[in-house]
Amino acid sequence: MRRRPNYLAGLGSLVWLVVVGFPLYVLLISTFRTRSSYSSEGPLSFPEHLTLKNYVDDFSNGFGQDFLNTVIVTVSVVAIVLLVVPPLAYAIVRAQGRTIGTVFRIFLLGLAIPAQAVIVPMFYVISKAGLYDHLIGIILPTAAFCLPVCTLVLTGAMRDISNELYEAMAMDGATPWRVFWQMVVPLSKGGLSSIVVFSALQAWNGFLFPLILTQSESTKVITLGLYNFQTEHGVDVPGLLSAVVLSMLPIFIVYLFARRALVQGLMGVGGK
Amino acid sequence: MSTSSLGSGSGRSARAGRRAGVGVTRPGLVWAVPATVFFLLFALLPLVLVAVLSFTSWDGVGAPTFNGLDNWTKLLHDPVMTQSIWLTLVLTVAGVVVQTPVSILLGVWAAGHQRNRAVLSAVFFIPLLLSATAISVVWRAILDPNFGVPSQMQWLFGDGNLMGSQSGAIAVLTFVGMWQWTPMHALLYQGGARAVPQVLYQAAAIDGAGKVRQFLHITLPQLRNTMITSVILMLVGGLTTFDTVLILTQGGPGTDTTNSAYYMYQQAFKSFDFGSGSAIALVLVVVATLISLAVVRLSGYDKMRGTTEGL
């Protein structure tokens, strides 16, 4: 069949390009302006003098510390997810009996528990555990809230491993442990990278748990830094926007190099 | 349960395997224990606690004391609470109505073979990477009536104080929500559209159906399941919109954009009335759980189907 370009859809996609591109343009050029040029020339015109001062200032305003905290949180959340989800998914796909079905249903129900709904008791639990204002107090709930989606995605990936392979491994007399390491893990690489992408994105962009569960400068993460920056120095828009750009830089670099994997990961998050 | 958990790879050989009595090694329940315990502690225990706390009075520092139905009767007579529920519904419905058509069109477009598709869709999906915080902060700066874009485009924005009225603030929240979430739903629809069998289009083309009729009579009906998943995700997301409200409007002007999630945050963490906050949270939990049950039922996840079809 001959493929004709679909002009209507093409036009629509160009409209969306403007909708997405325009704010990104304003965001980027604003970061290279001085504060005074932002208020005098306005956000749209191309700045007369470009400056990197905003970026330098961000670091003297503690961005480095926020960045480090966010890295610690993200790495830890991904580590926890990778530690507990693959064995769980393996059990869901392969274990026998009714109990495991109940476990799977519990995680499915968890899909729709909004973090806001449990934030008050979370504050209670974390305070009682003495973890308030510690990074570990953000890491644990963030990881827990990644589990339902990650379980769903990885279960889907593991379910595609054919039964013949399990039978072949069984013929060789492999233990569940060996089956897991030598077959299930290597064959579900796609699902594993999806859950890494998803949990890393969640942890990197997380806002509610840090907002409620920390208060000090020393435990501040990037998103909270942006929020505080806006409430405290609301007038310094170029400073604020340059911090936004810095906050998305790592993810953007990953996106440039691994767009396909990232998009597949995000698609998996949708469930289908 | 036990039959379908044998795997979706090849049903016939799975049955044959069982008949032949091949002893396949299976993991025990112990493999599920770490994740389950962790999840129970940090997601489900708080869920139970929120119900308990809704019957207590707690200032966040001392010990919670039971006060019976006080929080609930107070909420019933609280005009802000009633308004916040109404607002939550308005924001949720507006989100679904605005995002669904845009994401279907974008997703179907991205599933096709247009020129420059790869480059364009790389740009389209950038909002997926940004935190809600970053998105809200950027839009707030851009829409600032004095120093933002409206001050330079008065022909379009008038006095530019978009967030100064209730309808304006709701429009801004809906628009920013669309900006943030459309790419994600477009991805879902892209997956759905790719899974539509090409034969259907070929048959329609032979019958002389044009692009528009093909879209209306083949693509849309075929996307029904994707639509269910997507709309339900939008509903849960809409019910719990929080970050954007906190940063863009602070629930204002007045309490004009105070939705339930934001009101819960205000009651608990601003007014230190954690009991009332818990009661509002419990309402959110119940509604979200009902919706999640709908997800499980309607999407067929509970039948343990393979989930990679359509990717």
Side-chain angles (χ1 to χ4, degrees):
Chain A
M1 204 171 69
R2 202 166 62 93
R3 289 209 171 87
R4 274 180 305 128
N6 187 342
Y7 294 108
L8 199 67
L11 184 73
S13 70
L14 282 179
V15 172
W16 187 252
L17 185 69
V18 173
V19 172
V20 172
F22 173 72
L24 294 177
Y25 163 79
V26 175
L27 167 66
L28 264 183
I29 58 161
S30 302
T31 62
F32 299 113
R33 296 175 186 281
T34 58
R35 260 177 77 177
S36 58
S37 105
Y38 184 82
S39 43
S40 61
E41 295 168 11
L44 288 177
S45 60
F46 199 79
E48 278 175 34
H49 304 286
L50 298 173
T51 171
L52 283 174
K53 187 171 175 297
N54 297 309
Y55 290 98
V56 179
D57 286 353
D58 285 332
F59 280 94
S60 54
N61 283 335
F63 185 84
Q65 171 82 58
D66 300 359
F67 190 88
L68 189 67
N69 287 338
T70 313
V71 170
I72 295 173
V73 169
T74 304
V75 170
S76 316
V77 166
V78 172
I80 294 178
V81 165
L82 278 184
L83 206 64
V84 301
V85 173
L88 172 70
Y90 177 44
I92 288 174
V93 175
R94 297 295 296 172
Q96 274 174 323
R98 281 175 188 283
T99 324
I100 196 67
T102 313
V103 169
F104 188 43
R105 279 190 176 77
I106 290 176
F107 280 93
L108 285 180
L109 275 184
L111 276 176
I113 302 177
Q116 289 94 328
V118 296
I119 194 66
V120 174
M122 193 65 81
F123 175 73
Y124 182 83
V125 170
I126 294 291
S127 309
K128 288 288 169 206
L131 295 174
Y132 180 76
D133 207 19
H134 292 283
L135 286 181
I136 184 86
I138 316 175
I139 292 167
L140 295 176
T142 306
F145 271 79
C146 287
L147 294 188
V149 174
C150 290
T151 306
L152 187 67
V153 169
L154 198 58
T155 315
M158 286 186 182
R159 200 165 284 137
D160 290 340
I161 300 172
S162 81
N163 207 45
E164 284 89 346
L165 290 172
Y166 286 105
E167 283 165 7
M169 288 289 282
M171 300 281 195
D172 295 347
T175 59
W177 181 253
R178 240 190 80 199
V179 173
F180 178 71
W181 273 115
Q182 297 190 345
M183 189 183 87
V184 175
V185 168
L187 285 183
S188 41
K189 259 190 210 132
L192 286 171
S193 43
S194 292
I195 69 173
V196 169
V197 165
F198 174 75
S199 50
L201 214 53
Q202 283 287 97
W204 189 271
N205 289 337
F207 173 66
L208 187 66
F209 289 130
L211 174 72
I212 305 292
L213 302 173
T214 64
Q215 58 173 9
S216 315
E217 280 295 308
S218 61
T219 52
K220 202 166 66 182
V221 294
I222 293 176
T223 47
L224 204 53
L226 294 180
Y227 176 63
N228 289 349
F229 195 115
Q230 184 191 287
T231 26
E232 285 157 28
H233 326 265
V235 283
D236 184 8
V237 176
L240 176 63
L241 295 184
S242 58
V244 169
V245 170
L246 286 177
S247 80
M248 57 191 262
L249 213 54
I251 296 179
F252 199 73
I253 292 170
V254 175
Y255 186 59
L256 286 182
F257 288 103
R259 200 179 74 81
R260 196 161 289 270
L262 205 73
V263 168
Q264 294 248 303
L266 291 164
M267 257 172 139
V269 172
K272 269 252 155 201
Chain B
M1 174 100 269
S2 57
T3 50
S4 53
S5 68
L6 272 164
S8 62
S10 159
R12 200 188 308 141
S13 73
R15 273 195 300 276
R18 231 178 4 199
R19 252 201 323 269
V22 177
V24 177
T25 38
R26 292 182 179 279
L29 281 176
V30 68
W31 288 74
V33 168
T36 312
V37 169
F38 184 63
F39 188 64
L40 288 176
L41 265 181
F42 284 96
L44 292 182
L45 172 69
L47 208 55
V48 175
L49 270 179
V50 81
V52 176
L53 284 172
S54 74
F55 299 102
T56 67
S57 147
W58 184 43
D59 60 5
V61 183
T65 51
F66 277 92
N67 65 356
L69 288 172
D70 282 8
N71 300 322
W72 292 97
T73 44
K74 206 175 78 188
L75 281 184
L76 273 179
H77 299 103
D78 181 353
V80 183
M81 181 63 193
T82 332
Q83 193 207 13
S84 83
I85 292 176
W86 176 240
L87 238 152
T88 306
L89 292 177
V90 170
L91 281 175
T92 307
V93 172
V96 174
V97 169
V98 172
Q99 287 169 36
T100 302
V102 183
S103 41
I104 289 181
L105 290 177
L106 210 58
V108 170
W109 173 83
H113 297 270
Q114 277 76 19
R115 227 180 303 156
N116 303 327
R117 192 178 55 84
V119 180
L120 286 178
S121 54
V123 179
F124 289 169
F125 298 128
I126 288 175
L128 279 175
L129 311 176
L130 306 186
S131 60
T133 327
I135 289 173
S136 312
V137 158
V138 169
W139 277 106
R140 198 182 141 101
I142 287 179
L143 295 177
D144 186 279
N146 299 316
F147 300 107
V149 171
S151 66
Q152 281 188 292
M153 295 171 81
Q154 279 166 347
W155 53 271
L156 183 62
F157 292 102
D159 74 338
N161 194 3
L162 296 177
M163 283 168 279
S165 69
Q166 181 174 36
S167 52
I170 290 177
V172 168
L173 288 171
T174 308
F175 175 79
V176 173
M178 178 186 83
W179 197 86
Q180 177 179 11
W181 293 114
T182 295
M184 146 97 190
H185 293 281
L187 266 183
L188 292 183
Y189 284 114
Q190 183 184 347
R194 285 241 172 97
V196 179
Q198 285 299 317
V199 206
L200 295 178
Y201 293 110
Q202 285 153 9
I206 290 169
D207 290 349
K211 285 264 179 206
V212 175
R213 287 192 57 189
Q214 290 185 17
F215 176 76
L216 291 178
H217 294 287
I218 301 173
T219 315
L220 276 188
Q222 288 280 322
L223 286 177
R224 205 185 64 99
N225 285 333
T226 317
M227 220 178 287
I228 293 172
T229 313
S230 161
V231 165
I232 290 169
L233 287 173
M234 284 178 193
L235 288 175
V236 175
L239 285 178
T240 56
T241 306
F242 171 74
D243 316 39
T244 30
V245 174
L246 175 71
I247 294 169
L248 279 167
T249 67
Q250 282 95 45
T255 54
D256 279 354
T257 54
T258 301
N259 67 345
S260 300
Y262 185 75
Y263 193 48
M264 182 270 302
Y265 167 77
Q266 250 190 347
Q267 289 288 300
F269 297 97
K270 293 288 160 194
S271 312
F272 301 105
D273 182 354
F274 287 83
S276 295
S278 300
I280 306 172
L282 191 57
V283 175
L284 280 174
V285 171
V286 170
V287 177
T289 311
L290 289 178
I291 292 179
S292 118
L293 281 173
V295 177
V296 176
R297 283 264 170 272
L298 291 175
S299 62
Y301 289 149
D302 64 337
K303 297 190 195 80
M304 304 195 66
R305 277 207 315 235
T307 54
T308 50
E309 45 188 303
L311 263 186

Short mmCIF file of all heavy atoms in Angstrom, two decimals, chain A residues 163-204:
data_model
loop_
_atom_site.label_atom_id
_atom_site.label_comp_id
_atom_site.label_asym_id
_atom_site.label_seq_id
_atom_site.Cartn_x
_atom_site.Cartn_y
_atom_site.Cartn_z
N ASN A 163 7.75 -21.56 28.62
CA ASN A 163 7.77 -22.64 29.58
C ASN A 163 8.81 -23.70 29.22
O ASN A 163 9.39 -24.34 30.10
CB ASN A 163 6.37 -23.26 29.67
CG ASN A 163 6.13 -23.90 31.01
OD1 ASN A 163 6.46 -23.30 32.03
ND2 ASN A 163 5.62 -25.10 31.00
N GLU A 164 9.06 -23.86 27.90
CA GLU A 164 10.05 -24.85 27.47
C GLU A 164 11.41 -24.58 28.11
O GLU A 164 12.13 -25.51 28.48
CB GLU A 164 10.20 -24.84 25.94
CG GLU A 164 9.07 -25.52 25.19
CD GLU A 164 7.93 -24.57 24.87
OE1 GLU A 164 7.91 -23.45 25.47
OE2 GLU A 164 7.08 -24.94 24.05
N LEU A 165 11.75 -23.29 28.21
CA LEU A 165 13.06 -22.96 28.78
C LEU A 165 13.15 -23.40 30.24
O LEU A 165 14.17 -23.92 30.69
CB LEU A 165 13.31 -21.46 28.67
CG LEU A 165 13.54 -20.96 27.23
CD1 LEU A 165 13.58 -19.44 27.19
CD2 LEU A 165 14.84 -21.54 26.70
N TYR A 166 12.03 -23.18 30.97
CA TYR A 166 12.03 -23.63 32.36
C TYR A 166 12.19 -25.14 32.42
O TYR A 166 12.91 -25.69 33.24
CB TYR A 166 10.73 -23.21 33.06
CG TYR A 166 10.64 -21.75 33.38
CD1 TYR A 166 9.84 -20.91 32.62
CD2 TYR A 166 11.35 -21.20 34.44
CE1 TYR A 166 9.74 -19.55 32.92
CE2 TYR A 166 11.26 -19.86 34.75
CZ TYR A 166 10.45 -19.05 33.98
OH TYR A 166 10.36 -17.72 34.27
N GLU A 167 11.46 -25.81 31.51
CA GLU A 167 11.53 -27.27 31.51
C GLU A 167 12.95 -27.75 31.22
O GLU A 167 13.44 -28.69 31.85
CB GLU A 167 10.55 -27.84 30.48
CG GLU A 167 9.12 -27.82 30.99
CD GLU A 167 8.10 -28.04 29.88
OE1 GLU A 167 8.51 -28.34 28.74
OE2 GLU A 167 6.90 -27.90 30.17
N ALA A 168 13.60 -27.07 30.26
CA ALA A 168 14.97 -27.44 29.92
C ALA A 168 15.89 -27.27 31.12
O ALA A 168 16.72 -28.13 31.42
CB ALA A 168 15.46 -26.59 28.76
N MET A 169 15.71 -26.15 31.83
CA MET A 169 16.53 -25.92 33.02
C MET A 169 16.23 -26.99 34.07
O MET A 169 17.14 -27.48 34.75
CB MET A 169 16.22 -24.55 33.63
CG MET A 169 16.71 -23.35 32.87
SD MET A 169 18.50 -23.08 32.87
CE MET A 169 18.81 -22.37 34.47
N ALA A 170 14.96 -27.39 34.16
CA ALA A 170 14.58 -28.39 35.15
C ALA A 170 15.22 -29.74 34.83
O ALA A 170 15.67 -30.46 35.72
CB ALA A 170 13.06 -28.51 35.20
N MET A 171 15.28 -30.05 33.51
CA MET A 171 15.94 -31.29 33.09
C MET A 171 17.37 -31.34 33.60
O MET A 171 17.88 -32.38 33.98
CB MET A 171 15.98 -31.38 31.56
CG MET A 171 14.63 -31.39 30.90
SD MET A 171 13.87 -32.99 30.99
CE MET A 171 12.57 -32.79 29.77
N ASP A 172 18.02 -30.15 33.55
CA ASP A 172 19.40 -30.08 34.03
C ASP A 172 19.48 -30.13 35.54
O ASP A 172 20.57 -30.05 36.11
CB ASP A 172 20.07 -28.78 33.54
CG ASP A 172 20.20 -28.77 32.03
OD1 ASP A 172 20.00 -29.84 31.43
OD2 ASP A 172 20.49 -27.69 31.48
N GLY A 173 18.33 -30.17 36.20
CA GLY A 173 18.32 -30.23 37.65
C GLY A 173 18.66 -28.91 38.33
O GLY A 173 19.22 -28.90 39.43
N ALA A 174 18.31 -27.79 37.66
CA ALA A 174 18.66 -26.49 38.23
C ALA A 174 17.77 -26.15 39.42
O ALA A 174 16.58 -26.44 39.41
CB ALA A 174 18.54 -25.41 37.16
N THR A 175 18.34 -25.50 40.41
CA THR A 175 17.56 -25.02 41.55
C THR A 175 16.87 -23.72 41.14
O THR A 175 17.28 -23.09 40.17
CB THR A 175 18.50 -24.70 42.73
OG1 THR A 175 19.43 -23.70 42.30
CG2 THR A 175 19.25 -25.93 43.19
N PRO A 176 15.79 -23.30 41.88
CA PRO A 176 15.14 -22.02 41.56
C PRO A 176 16.16 -20.88 41.51
O PRO A 176 16.05 -19.97 40.69
CB PRO A 176 14.16 -21.84 42.72
CG PRO A 176 13.86 -23.21 43.18
CD PRO A 176 15.12 -24.01 42.96
N TRP A 177 17.13 -20.90 42.39
CA TRP A 177 18.15 -19.86 42.47
C TRP A 177 18.93 -19.78 41.16
O TRP A 177 19.16 -18.71 40.61
CB TRP A 177 19.07 -20.18 43.65
CG TRP A 177 20.16 -19.18 43.89
CD1 TRP A 177 21.48 -19.36 43.64
CD2 TRP A 177 20.02 -17.86 44.42
NE1 TRP A 177 22.18 -18.24 43.98
CE2 TRP A 177 21.31 -17.30 44.46
CE3 TRP A 177 18.92 -17.09 44.86
CZ2 TRP A 177 21.54 -16.00 44.93
CZ3 TRP A 177 19.17 -15.80 45.32
CH2 TRP A 177 20.46 -15.28 45.35
N ARG A 178 19.33 -20.97 40.65
CA ARG A 178 20.10 -20.99 39.39
C ARG A 178 19.23 -20.59 38.21
O ARG A 178 19.66 -19.86 37.32
CB ARG A 178 20.69 -22.39 39.16
CG ARG A 178 22.21 -22.38 39.07
CD ARG A 178 22.72 -23.73 38.61
NE ARG A 178 22.61 -23.88 37.17
CZ ARG A 178 22.65 -25.08 36.55
NH1 ARG A 178 22.74 -26.18 37.27
NH2 ARG A 178 22.57 -25.14 35.25
N VAL A 179 17.98 -21.07 38.22
CA VAL A 179 17.05 -20.69 37.14
C VAL A 179 16.93 -19.16 37.10
O VAL A 179 16.98 -18.53 36.06
CB VAL A 179 15.67 -21.33 37.36
CG1 VAL A 179 14.65 -20.79 36.36
CG2 VAL A 179 15.76 -22.83 37.28
N PHE A 180 16.78 -18.58 38.30
CA PHE A 180 16.62 -17.13 38.42
C PHE A 180 17.82 -16.40 37.83
O PHE A 180 17.69 -15.53 36.97
CB PHE A 180 16.42 -16.78 39.89
CG PHE A 180 16.28 -15.30 40.16
CD1 PHE A 180 15.14 -14.62 39.76
CD2 PHE A 180 17.28 -14.60 40.83
CE1 PHE A 180 15.01 -13.26 40.02
CE2 PHE A 180 17.15 -13.24 41.09
CZ PHE A 180 16.01 -12.57 40.68
N TRP A 181 19.03 -16.77 38.29
CA TRP A 181 20.23 -16.04 37.89
C TRP A 181 20.65 -16.29 36.46
O TRP A 181 21.06 -15.38 35.75
CB TRP A 181 21.40 -16.36 38.82
CG TRP A 181 21.38 -15.47 40.01
CD1 TRP A 181 21.18 -15.85 41.30
CD2 TRP A 181 21.55 -14.06 40.04
NE1 TRP A 181 21.20 -14.76 42.13
CE2 TRP A 181 21.42 -13.65 41.38
CE3 TRP A 181 21.77 -13.09 39.05
CZ2 TRP A 181 21.53 -12.31 41.76
CZ3 TRP A 181 21.88 -11.75 39.43
CH2 TRP A 181 21.76 -11.38 40.76
N GLN A 182 20.56 -17.58 36.04
CA GLN A 182 21.12 -17.90 34.73
C GLN A 182 20.13 -17.75 33.60
O GLN A 182 20.52 -17.67 32.45
CB GLN A 182 21.69 -19.32 34.76
CG GLN A 182 22.83 -19.41 35.75
CD GLN A 182 23.57 -20.71 35.63
OE1 GLN A 182 23.10 -21.65 35.01
NE2 GLN A 182 24.75 -20.77 36.24
N MET A 183 18.83 -17.69 33.93
CA MET A 183 17.86 -17.60 32.84
C MET A 183 16.92 -16.41 32.98
O MET A 183 16.84 -15.57 32.10
CB MET A 183 17.06 -18.89 32.76
CG MET A 183 16.21 -18.94 31.52
SD MET A 183 15.22 -20.40 31.51
CE MET A 183 13.81 -19.87 32.42
N VAL A 184 16.24 -16.33 34.13
CA VAL A 184 15.19 -15.31 34.26
C VAL A 184 15.78 -13.89 34.18
O VAL A 184 15.29 -13.05 33.42
CB VAL A 184 14.41 -15.51 35.57
CG1 VAL A 184 13.41 -14.40 35.78
CG2 VAL A 184 13.71 -16.86 35.55
N VAL A 185 16.83 -13.64 34.95
CA VAL A 185 17.42 -12.30 34.96
C VAL A 185 17.96 -11.90 33.58
O VAL A 185 17.61 -10.84 33.05
CB VAL A 185 18.48 -12.16 36.07
CG1 VAL A 185 19.29 -10.89 35.89
CG2 VAL A 185 17.82 -12.18 37.43
N PRO A 186 18.78 -12.74 32.94
CA PRO A 186 19.28 -12.34 31.61
C PRO A 186 18.16 -12.15 30.59
O PRO A 186 18.24 -11.26 29.75
CB PRO A 186 20.17 -13.52 31.20
CG PRO A 186 20.53 -14.20 32.46
CD PRO A 186 19.40 -14.00 33.39
N LEU A 187 17.10 -12.97 30.67
CA LEU A 187 16.05 -12.87 29.66
C LEU A 187 15.07 -11.73 29.91
O LEU A 187 14.28 -11.38 29.05
CB LEU A 187 15.27 -14.19 29.57
CG LEU A 187 16.01 -15.33 28.85
CD1 LEU A 187 15.11 -16.55 28.75
CD2 LEU A 187 16.46 -14.89 27.46
N SER A 188 15.11 -11.14 31.11
CA SER A 188 14.18 -10.02 31.34
C SER A 188 14.93 -8.69 31.42
O SER A 188 14.49 -7.78 32.11
CB SER A 188 13.31 -10.26 32.57
OG SER A 188 14.06 -10.82 33.61
N LYS A 189 16.02 -8.60 30.70
CA LYS A 189 16.81 -7.36 30.70
C LYS A 189 15.98 -6.14 30.31
O LYS A 189 16.12 -5.08 30.91
CB LYS A 189 17.98 -7.49 29.71
CG LYS A 189 19.30 -7.78 30.39
CD LYS A 189 20.45 -7.65 29.41
CE LYS A 189 21.58 -8.57 29.79
NZ LYS A 189 22.09 -9.35 28.66
N GLY A 190 15.11 -6.30 29.32
CA GLY A 190 14.28 -5.17 28.89
C GLY A 190 13.43 -4.64 30.03
O GLY A 190 13.41 -3.44 30.31
N GLY A 191 12.74 -5.56 30.71
CA GLY A 191 11.92 -5.19 31.84
C GLY A 191 12.74 -4.57 32.96
O GLY A 191 12.34 -3.59 33.58
N LEU A 192 13.93 -5.14 33.19
CA LEU A 192 14.79 -4.61 34.24
C LEU A 192 15.21 -3.18 33.94
O LEU A 192 15.18 -2.31 34.81
CB LEU A 192 16.03 -5.50 34.42
CG LEU A 192 15.77 -6.83 35.13
CD1 LEU A 192 16.99 -7.74 35.05
CD2 LEU A 192 15.39 -6.60 36.58
N SER A 193 15.59 -2.90 32.66
CA SER A 193 15.99 -1.53 32.37
C SER A 193 14.78 -0.59 32.49
O SER A 193 14.93 0.55 32.92
CB SER A 193 16.67 -1.40 31.01
OG SER A 193 16.01 -2.15 30.06
N SER A 194 13.59 -1.08 32.15
CA SER A 194 12.40 -0.25 32.32
C SER A 194 12.20 0.15 33.78
O SER A 194 11.92 1.31 34.07
CB SER A 194 11.15 -0.99 31.87
OG SER A 194 11.16 -1.17 30.49
N ILE A 195 12.35 -0.81 34.69
CA ILE A 195 12.08 -0.46 36.09
C ILE A 195 13.19 0.43 36.65
O ILE A 195 12.95 1.26 37.51
CB ILE A 195 11.82 -1.70 36.98
CG1 ILE A 195 13.06 -2.54 37.18
CG2 ILE A 195 10.69 -2.54 36.44
CD1 ILE A 195 12.85 -3.66 38.20
N VAL A 196 14.42 0.28 36.12
CA VAL A 196 15.49 1.20 36.54
C VAL A 196 15.14 2.62 36.11
O VAL A 196 15.18 3.57 36.90
CB VAL A 196 16.85 0.78 35.95
CG1 VAL A 196 17.89 1.88 36.16
CG2 VAL A 196 17.33 -0.51 36.58
N VAL A 197 14.74 2.76 34.83
CA VAL A 197 14.38 4.09 34.31
C VAL A 197 13.24 4.68 35.12
O VAL A 197 13.30 5.83 35.57
CB VAL A 197 13.95 3.98 32.83
CG1 VAL A 197 13.24 5.24 32.38
CG2 VAL A 197 15.15 3.71 31.96
N PHE A 198 12.19 3.89 35.33
CA PHE A 198 11.02 4.41 36.02
C PHE A 198 11.35 4.84 37.45
O PHE A 198 11.02 5.95 37.86
CB PHE A 198 9.89 3.39 36.03
CG PHE A 198 8.73 3.85 36.85
CD1 PHE A 198 7.88 4.82 36.36
CD2 PHE A 198 8.51 3.34 38.11
CE1 PHE A 198 6.82 5.29 37.12
CE2 PHE A 198 7.45 3.79 38.88
CZ PHE A 198 6.61 4.76 38.38
N SER A 199 12.02 3.96 38.20
CA SER A 199 12.26 4.31 39.60
C SER A 199 13.25 5.46 39.71
O SER A 199 13.12 6.31 40.60
CB SER A 199 12.73 3.08 40.39
OG SER A 199 13.78 2.44 39.74
N ALA A 200 14.23 5.52 38.80
CA ALA A 200 15.18 6.63 38.83
C ALA A 200 14.47 7.95 38.56
O ALA A 200 14.69 8.95 39.25
CB ALA A 200 16.29 6.42 37.81
N LEU A 201 13.57 7.93 37.58
CA LEU A 201 12.82 9.15 37.25
C LEU A 201 11.95 9.59 38.42
O LEU A 201 11.87 10.77 38.76
CB LEU A 201 11.96 8.87 36.01
CG LEU A 201 11.74 10.00 35.02
CD1 LEU A 201 13.05 10.60 34.56
CD2 LEU A 201 10.94 9.49 33.83
N GLN A 202 11.28 8.61 39.06
CA GLN A 202 10.45 8.90 40.21
C GLN A 202 11.26 9.54 41.32
O GLN A 202 10.86 10.53 41.91
CB GLN A 202 9.83 7.61 40.76
CG GLN A 202 8.69 7.07 39.99
CD GLN A 202 7.46 7.91 40.19
OE1 GLN A 202 7.16 8.77 39.36
NE2 GLN A 202 6.75 7.71 41.28
N ALA A 203 12.41 8.92 41.61
CA ALA A 203 13.23 9.38 42.73
C ALA A 203 13.81 10.76 42.41
O ALA A 203 13.82 11.66 43.24
CB ALA A 203 14.33 8.38 43.02
N TRP A 204 14.29 10.92 41.18
CA TRP A 204 14.94 12.18 40.80
C TRP A 204 13.93 13.33 40.85
O TRP A 204 14.25 14.43 41.27
CB TRP A 204 15.54 12.07 39.40
CG TRP A 204 16.39 13.23 39.05
CD1 TRP A 204 15.98 14.39 38.46
CD2 TRP A 204 17.78 13.39 39.31
NE1 TRP A 204 17.04 15.25 38.33
CE2 TRP A 204 18.15 14.66 38.84
CE3 TRP A 204 18.75 12.55 39.89
CZ2 TRP A 204 19.46 15.13 38.94
CZ3 TRP A 204 20.04 13.02 39.98
CH2 TRP A 204 20.38 14.30 39.51
#
